[in-house]
């Protein structure tokens, strides 16, 4: 399938002076900065990078919540240990603890199925559809504007997904200025092939998270499968390995300071083009509040896991996600405060608006900019409530399932195009998969404690923020909450997988009449959730209509400054490039860009999280690093640092050398740069990568898998 690599026009015009270390570029932008790429050290043709059907970008995929890349003709995929952690957890139990012990499949028959909702997507199409998306929205405001954009997006997606095995979406660029139709091949049968033990894949855990120097082997190898007919299919023993259109070649040589590196992946969300008011809100409210709320949930899971190993395993993936989020938000807050982001962004915005006032387009743009800013100021009076209510459906398992079943019952009678996104026919398979996996990720005692942590905070809010439906279900006091949860979770039958799946297949009227305690609670909450959703959509509709004026002014102002112009990240495929770079973190504190196994031994205490496995320590003492060690120093590398521009979602992104060979896997950012999702500071922005030499050495000398190394094209030494 050929992709039209359409240029982004004036809105995407690039300043040739853009620094190599800043920018999450759309592939179609890269030919315009070919000179910059070449000067930075890239040896290929930038035009090849603009075509997603050609290597290397057609080997880069979205997997789980991060990125991965194909590394063999038979569907081997490499990503981070933490990106595949849910797969590892799903296959673990007290008598088979793959989290602690790792896993090496003896052969393909021993490869373990991933959790049912784990997906892999290969981008095969990316086309500008702005005119089609906005055609029906002209002249509308608020919820009507939102609905018009939503309806047009759904129509395009439905048309795109007529082809079996294809998953499509509409990506919003520059906050409503442009829209692109993203077409992806979706694979549903992923299997665990090779995972190092936790004490390698997550060496240092939260102490080292977002910290340099690092010594983690944060990688896992999966394999993608398709049906006997070669098309995407659910897991079956009869399936066969997927043959990707291309795969990355592992480099046999490593990197050193100053070497060119390039990264391709699916960064989640950045906010660099947001308003000064939004910067202030992020620093003054959202980040500190989120840290406090999520820390309460972390405390709950850790406390329950100390006395119940099975519960600890069931919630291991969720706990890891919470820890990562808490530390990320904490680092982001510190970084933004250190960079004085509120002042910098406020002054920059003021200068932009002053410049705009001298321009003829100010007459048409300024009214929309003023209206957008006024709208952004609104809604602060209920933001605490909205945060807590939202977390009830993302940080629970059984309640989340009940809410999904209830919502599905009111969406199914509608025409598919009128259903809420996430509950259309295209989404039902994923909902069913999520209902299935609850069985291995749920414990009633833990869930009740998680709900208590969230609702107790809600109950402490001012009465003006309360929702009658929430008070009806959970009460207004701690005692009423405890009684309500004991009653609901004591009576519900949704903890039985067969019952959940029965209700999934039931008619809407059957679900509506069902008297299960948890379903009744979900049904009672429904009017409040729908009111909140309507308010959110009305606000988002107006912002979609108004923000393009702000973006038009900002883009023009940035180009006048000679600065890079690229859209904020939004989970679409992006490319960053730069060099292996050291870090001067603060006064008199400087870091080299490569760590070695010496650091593993230096950090090792024998206790979590610095409890390196004995086979690893024995191999380090033996010192058999031939073929893997740095030729200049003789040391065995572990991780390396670069100035590549990354954010959440780039976890697992392949890091390539000047020849396009795989030299590393991105897995983290340094503490000083966590705030880069909002503000880029070239002094501190670094990305942390697993050195592929370390992965190969582990697979050769520590937890051997010679057959895998052969398949990867780097046979054991």
């Amino acid at each position: 399938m050929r992709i039209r690599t359409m240029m982004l026009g004036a809105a995407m015009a690039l300043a040739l002076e853009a620094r190599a270390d800043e920018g999450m570029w759309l592939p179609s932008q890269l030919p315009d900065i070919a000179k910059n790429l070449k000067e930075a050290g890239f040896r290929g043709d930038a035009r090849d990078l603009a075509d997603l059907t050609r290597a290397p970008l057609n080997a880069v995929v979205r997997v789980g919540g991060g990125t991965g890349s194909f590394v063999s003709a038979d569907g081997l995929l490499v990503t981070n240990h933490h990106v595949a952690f849910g797969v590892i957890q799903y296959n673990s139990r007290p008598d088979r603890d793959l989290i602690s012990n790792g896993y090496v499949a003896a052969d393909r028959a021993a490869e373990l199925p991933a959790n049912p909702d784990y997906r892999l997507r290969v981008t095969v199409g990316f086309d500008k559809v702005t005119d089609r998306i906005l055609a029906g929205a002209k002249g509308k405001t608020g919820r009507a504007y939102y609905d018009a954009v939503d309806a047009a997006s759904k129509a395009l997606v439905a048309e795109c997904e007529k082809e079996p095995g294809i998953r499509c979406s509409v990506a919003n660029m520059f906050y409503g200025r442009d829209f692109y139709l993203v077409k992806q091949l979706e694979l549903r049968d992923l299997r665990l092939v090779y995972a190092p033990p936790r004490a390698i894949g997550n060496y240092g855990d939260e102490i080292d998270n977002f910290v340099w120097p690092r010594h983690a082997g944060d990688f896992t190898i999966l394999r993608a499968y398709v049906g006997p007919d070669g098309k995407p299919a659910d897991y079956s023993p009869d399936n066969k390995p997927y043959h990707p259109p291309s795969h990355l070649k592992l480099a046999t040589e490593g990197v050193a300071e100053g070497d060119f590196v390039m990264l391709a992946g699916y960064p989640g969300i950045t906010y660099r083009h947001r308003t000064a008011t939004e910067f202030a809100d992020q620093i003054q409210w959202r980040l500190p509040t989120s840290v406090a709320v999520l820390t309460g949930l972390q405390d709950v899971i850790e406390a329950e896991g100390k006395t119940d190993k099975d519960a600890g395993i069931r919630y291991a993936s969720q706990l890891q996600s919470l820890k990562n989020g808490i530390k990320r938000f904490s680092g982001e807050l510190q970084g933004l405060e250190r960079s004085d982001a509120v002042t910098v962004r406020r002054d920059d915005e003021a200068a932009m608006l002053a410049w705009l006032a001298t321009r003829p387009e100010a007459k048409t743009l300024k009214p929309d900019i003023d209206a957008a800013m006024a709208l952004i100021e609104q809604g602060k009076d209920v933001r605490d409530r909205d945060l807590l209510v939202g977390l009830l459906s993302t940080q629970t398992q059984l309640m989340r399932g009940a809410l999904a079943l209830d919502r599905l019952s009111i969406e199914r009678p509608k025409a598919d195009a009128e259903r809420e996104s996430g509950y259309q026919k295209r989404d039902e398979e994923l909902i069913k998969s999520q209902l299935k996996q609850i069985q291995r990720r749920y414990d009633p005692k833990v869930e009740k404690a998680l709900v208590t942590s969230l609702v107790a905070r809600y109950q402490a809010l001012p009465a003006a923020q309360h929702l009658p439906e929430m008070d009806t279900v959970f009460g207004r006091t701690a005692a009423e909450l405890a009684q309500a949860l004991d009653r609901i979770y004591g009576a519900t039958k949704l903890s039985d997988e067969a019952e959940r799946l029965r209700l999934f297949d039931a008619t809407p009227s059957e679900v509506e009449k069902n008297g299960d305690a948890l379903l009744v609670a979900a049904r009672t909450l429904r009017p409040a959730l729908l009111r909140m959703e309507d308010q959110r959509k009305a606000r988002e509709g107006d912002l979609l209509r108004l923000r393009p004026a702000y973006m038009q002014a900002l883009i023009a102002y940035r180009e006048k400054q000679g600065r890079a112009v690229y859209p904020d990240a939004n989970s679409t495929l992006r490319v960053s490039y730069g060099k292996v770079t050291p870090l001067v973190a603060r006064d008199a504190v400087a870091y080299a860009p490569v760590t070695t196994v010496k650091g593993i031994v230096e950090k090792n205490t024998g206790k979590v999280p610095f409890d390196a496995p004995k086979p690893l320590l024995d191999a380090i003492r033996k010192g058999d690093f031939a073929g893997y060690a740095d030729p200049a120093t003789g040391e065995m590398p572990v991780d390396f640092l670069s100035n590549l521009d990354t954010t959440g979602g780039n976890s697992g992104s392949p890091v390539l050398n000047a020849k396009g060979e795989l030299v590393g896997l991105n897995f983290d950012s340094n503490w000083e740069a966590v705030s880069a999702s909002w503000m880029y500071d070239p002094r501190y922005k670094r990305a942390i990568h697993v050195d592929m030499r370390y992965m190969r050495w582990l697979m050769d000398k520590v937890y051997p898998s010679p057959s895998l190394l052969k398949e990867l094209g780097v046979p054991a030494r």
Side-chain angles (χ1 to χ4, degrees):
M1 184 180 303
R2 185 72 179 173
I3 301 172
R4 298 196 303 274
T5 55
M6 301 179 66
M7 292 298 99
L8 301 184
M12 294 294 213
L14 302 173
L16 295 182
E17 296 82 2
R19 285 193 308 266
D21 56 358
E22 180 182 357
M24 299 177 188
W25 307 103
L26 288 166
S28 55
Q29 292 181 284
L30 296 175
D32 286 353
I33 54 171
K35 180 181 177 182
N36 299 49
L37 275 165
K38 185 176 181 180
E39 290 176 351
F42 181 57
R43 298 183 190 175
D45 188 336
R47 290 173 296 185
D48 292 344
L49 300 176
D51 187 349
L52 305 185
T53 64
R54 299 181 63 176
L57 293 190
N58 63 354
V60 181
V61 302
R62 184 168 177 80
V63 62
T67 301
S69 52
F70 286 115
V71 286
S72 90
D74 281 343
L76 276 186
L77 172 88
V78 64
T79 188
N80 286 154
H81 183 268
H82 75 265
V83 171
F85 190 74
V87 177
I88 300 168
Q89 178 272 328
Y90 181 80
N91 283 286
S92 295
R93 51 182 185 258
D95 62 336
R96 188 179 71 177
D97 189 354
L98 305 188
I99 296 173
S100 297
N101 302 324
Y103 186 72
V104 181
D107 51 33
R108 292 187 184 179
E111 295 172 0
L112 302 174
N115 36 300
D117 66 339
Y118 202 72
R119 297 288 187 271
L120 181 153
R121 294 177 183 172
V122 186
T123 299
V124 295
F126 189 81
D127 292 297
K128 189 175 181 179
V129 291
T130 307
D131 291 344
R132 292 183 65 180
I133 293 295
L134 296 181
K138 292 178 181 178
K140 297 179 180 177
T141 63
R143 178 65 191 264
Y145 192 97
Y146 179 97
D147 287 343
V149 171
D150 187 53
S153 299
K154 287 175 178 174
L156 279 173
V157 166
E159 179 183 322
C160 179
E161 290 184 349
K162 288 180 180 179
E163 186 177 344
I166 292 295
R167 189 78 171 181
C168 301
S169 61
V170 173
N172 174 357
M173 300 290 180
F174 287 132
Y175 299 104
R177 182 184 175 94
D178 281 312
F179 295 86
Y180 284 78
L181 180 65
V182 184
K183 188 174 185 179
Q184 296 176 310
L185 177 70
E186 182 178 70
L187 303 183
R188 306 191 299 273
D189 185 357
L190 284 299
R191 304 187 195 179
L192 179 63
V193 179
Y194 189 106
R198 171 203 54 77
I200 290 178
N202 191 27
Y203 190 66
D205 195 24
E206 286 313 297
I207 294 176
D208 270 5
N209 194 17
F210 294 116
V211 171
W212 183 260
R214 290 294 287 277
H215 298 86
D218 195 349
F219 74 93
T220 291
I221 297 175
L222 309 170
R223 193 186 302 276
Y225 282 79
V226 291
D229 60 358
K231 297 179 180 180
D234 292 329
Y235 168 80
S236 168
D238 297 328
N239 286 352
K240 62 182 184 180
Y242 170 68
H243 300 303
S246 77
H247 62 273
L248 300 180
K249 177 183 178 182
L250 268 68
T252 55
E253 298 177 352
V255 293
E257 182 175 339
D259 285 355
F260 171 89
V261 284
M262 179 173 66
L263 172 148
Y266 290 83
I269 303 176
T270 57
Y271 311 90
R272 295 175 188 172
H273 303 322
R274 292 296 182 102
T275 67
T277 296
E278 290 169 303
F279 269 67
D281 183 70
Q282 182 75 357
I283 296 166
Q284 296 164 4
W285 173 76
R286 185 166 298 278
L287 288 173
T289 303
S290 296
V291 167
V293 174
L294 297 183
T295 298
L297 300 180
Q298 175 188 335
D299 291 345
V300 164
I301 295 176
E302 288 184 332
E304 297 295 339
K306 286 179 181 178
T307 57
D308 186 338
K309 183 178 180 181
D310 185 48
I313 290 175
R314 288 175 183 269
Y315 283 84
S317 181
Q318 184 172 344
L319 177 61
Q320 200 65 28
S321 178
L322 284 168
K323 286 181 176 180
N324 189 67
I326 292 164
K327 194 156 189 179
R328 179 183 180 85
F329 293 154
S330 299
E332 186 173 300
L333 180 60
Q334 286 190 21
L336 290 173
E337 289 174 337
R338 181 183 61 244
S339 297
D340 196 14
V342 172
T343 301
V344 171
R345 188 70 189 93
R346 184 186 63 224
D347 292 349
D348 178 61
E349 183 174 89
M352 178 198 79
L353 293 175
W355 171 82
L356 177 64
T358 68
R359 306 288 298 172
E361 59 266 30
K363 187 175 181 179
T364 55
L365 296 182
K366 192 61 164 58
D368 281 358
I369 292 173
D370 291 342
M373 289 183 168
L375 188 60
I376 288 167
E377 284 285 355
Q378 298 174 12
K380 292 183 178 180
D381 53 338
V382 293
R383 60 188 182 183
D384 292 279
R385 179 201 72 188
D386 291 354
L387 173 66
L388 294 168
V389 173
L391 287 171
L392 277 175
S393 63
T394 61
Q395 296 299 323
T396 57
Q397 298 291 330
L398 210 60
M399 179 171 289
R400 177 188 179 189
L403 291 169
L405 286 168
D406 178 70
R407 185 60 185 264
L408 198 58
S409 72
I410 65 171
E411 297 298 333
R412 274 177 164 165
K414 303 176 185 177
D416 193 54
E418 297 174 3
R419 289 196 197 182
E420 176 63 19
S421 295
Y423 294 92
Q424 294 181 277
K425 291 179 181 178
R426 66 195 290 269
D427 304 305
E428 290 189 7
E429 180 185 358
L430 184 59
I431 294 172
K432 186 174 184 179
S433 297
Q434 291 171 340
L435 291 171
K436 285 181 179 179
Q437 73 171 24
I438 287 173
Q439 215 63 25
R440 300 195 195 183
R441 294 184 172 172
Y442 165 74
D443 179 275
K445 185 179 179 182
V446 179
E447 177 148 328
K448 286 164 62 178
L450 290 171
V451 174
T452 298
S453 179
L454 293 171
V455 177
R457 289 179 182 273
Y458 161 83
Q459 290 177 335
L461 295 176
Q465 292 200 48
H466 280 232
L467 297 163
E469 296 88 345
M470 283 283 290
D471 294 342
T472 297
V473 172
F474 300 114
R476 296 291 300 269
T477 67
E480 290 173 349
L481 172 59
Q483 292 173 1
L485 294 180
D486 286 344
R487 175 181 54 80
I488 292 170
Y489 282 89
T492 185
K493 296 180 181 178
L494 292 185
S495 56
D496 178 56
E497 181 179 324
E499 177 65 6
R500 293 194 301 274
L501 297 182
R502 185 187 72 80
L503 287 168
F504 175 83
D505 291 327
T507 65
S509 61
E510 287 176 310
V511 176
E512 187 72 25
K513 295 175 184 177
N514 189 280
D516 183 273
L518 196 52
L519 265 182
V520 170
R523 193 178 305 135
T524 304
L525 291 173
R526 184 201 302 165
L529 299 179
L530 291 176
R531 284 199 309 276
M532 291 171 62
E533 182 179 287
D534 181 65
Q535 293 164 4
R536 173 183 61 80
K537 288 182 176 180
R539 183 173 184 272
E540 289 184 5
D542 276 328
L543 285 175
L544 275 173
R545 177 176 59 86
L546 298 169
R547 276 193 195 270
Y550 185 91
M551 290 310 309
Q552 183 174 334
L554 183 62
I555 290 167
Y557 182 62
R558 289 284 180 261
E559 290 176 339
K560 173 184 173 292
Q561 294 174 310
R563 293 178 57 181
V565 182
Y566 50 87
D568 264 323
N570 57 2
S571 297
T572 54
L573 186 61
R574 304 295 180 94
V575 175
S576 304
Y577 67 101
K579 295 181 182 295
V580 177
T581 309
L583 169 68
V584 178
R586 49 195 175 276
D587 184 42
V589 179
Y591 295 107
V594 179
T595 59
T596 73
V597 293
K598 283 184 177 179
I600 295 174
V601 177
E602 291 170 354
K603 288 181 176 179
N604 194 62
T605 63
K607 297 179 181 179
V608 177
F610 297 107
D611 53 338
K614 185 177 183 299
L616 174 60
L617 294 174
D618 288 345
I620 293 172
R621 292 190 190 98
K622 186 176 180 182
D624 184 4
F625 306 137
Y628 303 103
D630 185 286
T633 66
E635 301 289 347
M636 182 65 228
V638 176
D639 298 327
F640 67 93
L641 204 62
S642 79
N643 61 2
L644 290 170
D645 196 355
T646 62
T647 190
N650 274 130
S651 291
S653 293
V655 180
L656 310 177
N657 62 18
K659 296 183 288 185
E661 298 170 333
L662 183 63
V663 292
L665 285 185
N666 184 73
F667 73 94
D668 208 353
S669 292
N670 57 307
W671 182 254
E672 297 81 6
V674 175
S675 56
S677 57
W678 283 79
M679 177 173 283
Y680 185 91
D681 191 330
R683 296 172 298 172
Y684 305 117
K685 178 64 186 87
R686 300 293 182 270
I688 302 173
H689 322 292
V690 184
D691 194 307
M692 289 294 91
R693 289 173 290 182
Y694 183 53
M695 183 187 84
R696 292 165 48 215
W697 178 73
L698 288 169
M699 296 175 68
D700 185 2
K701 306 296 184 182
V702 186
Y703 295 95
S705 182
S707 61
L708 272 184
L709 286 172
K710 183 178 180 181
E711 185 176 349
L712 291 169
V714 284
R717 301 283 178 172

